[in-house]
Amino acid sequence: MRIGVLNGPNLNLLGRREPDHYGTQTLAEIEALLVERAEASAAELTFFQSNDEGDIVDWVQTNADLVDGWLVNAAALTHTSVALRDALAGSDRPFVEVHLSNIFAREPFRHTSLLSDLAIGVIAGFRASSYLFGLEALVRVLQGRGEAGAGKAE
Ligand code: CA2
């Protein structure tokens, strides 16, 4: 099983600023935790982070046929990007949307996600653990062991 792990703009800065919202772990540390967890499920992870919306859309298009599903923290693009929404929908692969912070406890503009109704599920607010919970949920669904809301991208 292969899973694409996508991180959007500014997440390369994790661990250096805004720990109250995003925790203290760096993106590299979170990726290492995910690799460790994925090994137990015999899942292979492919990581990508970019600050560029076009590069992210290109990466989804290029990898769609190579992965079974996506773990997505689109960061600010969550709230703005029809292009990423369309790319994920077009990939025909299920995805779990994750957020470090609880976006519903923050500014109103973060309460709207252009991705959530396509996702098989959404996990927000558990800092780095959101990724681990998201991976666990995605693996269970891909293995046919878990139930999920019918994500329209599936
Ligand atoms: O809570 C999340 O995971 C977010 O996706 C993070 C995004 C934010 O725009 C979303 O509303 C919620 C922002 C990521 C920015 O990350 C930084 C990390 C350290 C320093 C500055 C920004």
Side-chain angles (χ1 to χ4, degrees), residues 34-55:
L34 287 170
V35 166
E36 196 179 304
R37 194 63 68 88
E39 274 168 9
S41 312
E44 204 173 304
L45 305 182
T46 306
F47 295 101
F48 187 69
Q49 188 278 329
S50 177
N51 296 328
D52 185 297
E53 184 177 14
D55 287 347

Side-chain angles (χ1 to χ4, degrees), residues 38-133:
E39 274 168 9
S41 312
E44 204 173 304
L45 305 182
T46 306
F47 295 101
F48 187 69
Q49 188 278 329
S50 177
N51 296 328
D52 185 297
E53 184 177 14
D55 287 347
I56 287 173
V57 169
D58 284 343
W59 184 78
V60 170
Q61 288 185 10
T62 303
N63 286 277
D65 290 340
L66 305 176
V67 302
D68 299 295
W70 311 103
L71 188 63
V72 178
N73 185 351
L77 297 179
T78 305
H79 318 296
T80 62
S81 180
V82 176
L84 178 57
R85 175 190 171 86
D86 289 346
L88 288 168
S91 77
D92 207 25
R93 295 288 182 269
F95 71 92
V96 173
E97 175 183 346
V98 299
H99 297 285
L100 296 144
S101 62
N102 179 357
I103 54 176
F104 302 103
R106 300 184 63 193
E107 306 94 320
F109 68 85
R110 295 187 203 275
H111 300 180
T112 301
S113 166
L114 297 186
L115 309 179
S116 296
D117 64 307
L118 300 181
I120 56 172
V122 181
I123 295 169
F126 299 96
R127 309 293 185 262
S129 296
S130 293
Y131 287 82
L132 296 173
F133 298 152

